[in-house]
Amino acid sequence: MPVVRALGPIEIIALEDGSGPFFQPREEAFPTATPDQWRRADAFDPDSVTADGQWWLRFRCYLVRTAERVMLLDAGIGPADSPAARWAPVPGRLPEELAAAGIAPEDVDTVVITHLHTDHVGWAVVGTGTPYFPNAQYLLQRAEHEAVMALNPELRERLLDPLNATQQMRLLDGDTPLADGVTVLATPGHTPGHQSVLVAQGDDAILVTGDLLVHALQLLAPEVPYRFERDPDTARESRTTRLSELARWPRSALATAHLGPAFTPWP
């Protein structure tokens, strides 16, 4: 069953589309990490390392539900023929996870795409170009939309063109409120227009990170770069800034795409 957290009248629901090993040794993905940093990360998040030392990833989306809104944050690895099929454990199970949460695709009014990597867009558009969430606006940072040819040219035809044709694509420029207590935050660096989502109510806050950080290494040592960050310096600045901002709330947590637990208290 999906894991649920409540912040006042807002529900944040973790939906796991799949899980599996990374496609290369983790030391190659984080070439500057020290043995001590690996030991600390593995103690903090033991579910992300296998017995033989591989990096085990969860592929999560999150649902933010209010009395009036149903917002999906990222769209997972997708069906068997999705763009992520070259490396991720497709088919994903997001449709079943949504059903278990009592949500049909037509109930979703907003899909926030954190960035245009294939493991975050799989269910956004399916088949020959059909938006899986027919009544939703899809939100993407303008900088990400403009960078698609450098990130993954295939996604222009398979994802952006269909959403633009149905007028379901909405481009954002920086931080943008979505609902009372729900805000899109620009967090560039992993990709040019990466974005995260902050949900805050009173003394409580949850930051849905996307790939602002991809491993506990980058939570415990935010300066550690990831091989597949487009701009490591900007990614480090985004990570450091947004993690430090959570100190404003006495009770805060991270909702991560790839770590072992769906929700991690922080700081």
Side-chain angles (χ1 to χ4, degrees):
M1 290 293 293
V3 180
V4 183
R5 287 287 183 89
L7 270 62
I10 303 176
E11 283 187 328
I12 303 96
I13 305 170
L15 308 169
E16 190 167 308
D17 199 29
S19 63
F22 196 59
F23 58 81
Q24 66 178 185
R26 64 183 193 163
E27 291 79 9
E28 294 179 11
F30 302 94
T32 71
T34 67
D36 181 63
Q37 287 170 333
W38 280 118
R39 282 192 293 271
R40 292 175 59 216
D42 289 345
F44 185 87
D45 184 12
D47 291 338
S48 289
V49 60
T50 65
D52 59 353
Q54 292 186 80
W55 178 16
W56 190 266
L57 294 88
R58 271 67 180 179
F59 297 92
R60 286 195 197 90
C61 315
Y62 289 85
L63 197 75
V64 176
R65 180 161 55 186
T66 72
E68 299 83 20
R69 303 286 302 277
V70 178
M71 297 167 276
L72 181 67
L73 314 183
D74 274 335
I77 53 177
D81 62 348
S82 74
R86 297 183 185 92
W87 68 279
V90 299
R93 56 177 181 265
L94 181 60
E96 292 81 5
E97 291 277 287
L98 286 169
I103 298 295
E106 56 268 24
D107 297 332
V108 176
D109 61 68
T110 302
V111 177
V112 178
I113 299 173
T114 62
H115 64 294
L116 293 175
H117 281 168
T118 56
D119 55 319
H120 292 258
V121 302
W123 292 101
V125 173
V126 296
T128 58
T130 302
Y132 189 72
F133 304 96
N135 300 320
Q137 277 196 321
Y138 288 69
L139 309 187
L140 187 70
Q141 289 286 324
R142 189 179 308 275
E144 193 81 354
H145 190 276
E146 293 176 351
V148 65
M149 295 305 291
L151 292 170
N152 189 331
E154 177 189 6
L155 290 183
R156 177 181 290 279
E157 181 177 350
R158 291 195 61 164
L159 177 72
L160 302 188
D161 287 350
L163 293 175
N164 286 322
T166 59
Q167 300 184 345
Q168 288 175 255
M169 177 64 74
R170 176 187 170 195
L171 300 182
L172 307 182
D173 294 294
D175 296 359
T176 305
L178 292 187
D180 186 23
V182 184
T183 305
V184 170
L185 301 179
T187 49
H190 182 76
T191 58
H194 188 280
Q195 57 188 357
S196 306
V197 175
L198 178 68
V199 182
Q201 290 283 303
D203 289 339
D204 299 284
I206 291 178
L207 179 64
V208 185
T209 62
D211 280 359
L212 178 66
L213 56 96
V214 297
H215 192 280
L217 278 170
Q218 295 186 298
L219 178 56
L220 302 177
E223 71 277 8
V224 172
Y226 173 49
R227 178 178 177 181
F228 298 101
E229 288 169 342
R230 178 67 54 165
D231 183 339
D233 290 339
T234 300
R236 181 180 63 251
E237 181 179 355
S238 291
R239 195 159 46 245
T240 301
T241 298
R242 297 306 188 180
L243 289 176
S244 66
E245 287 174 351
L246 284 180
R248 293 171 47 195
W249 287 273
R251 296 183 296 270
S252 58
L254 304 173
T256 60
H258 301 304
L259 271 64
F263 296 96
T264 301
W266 188 260

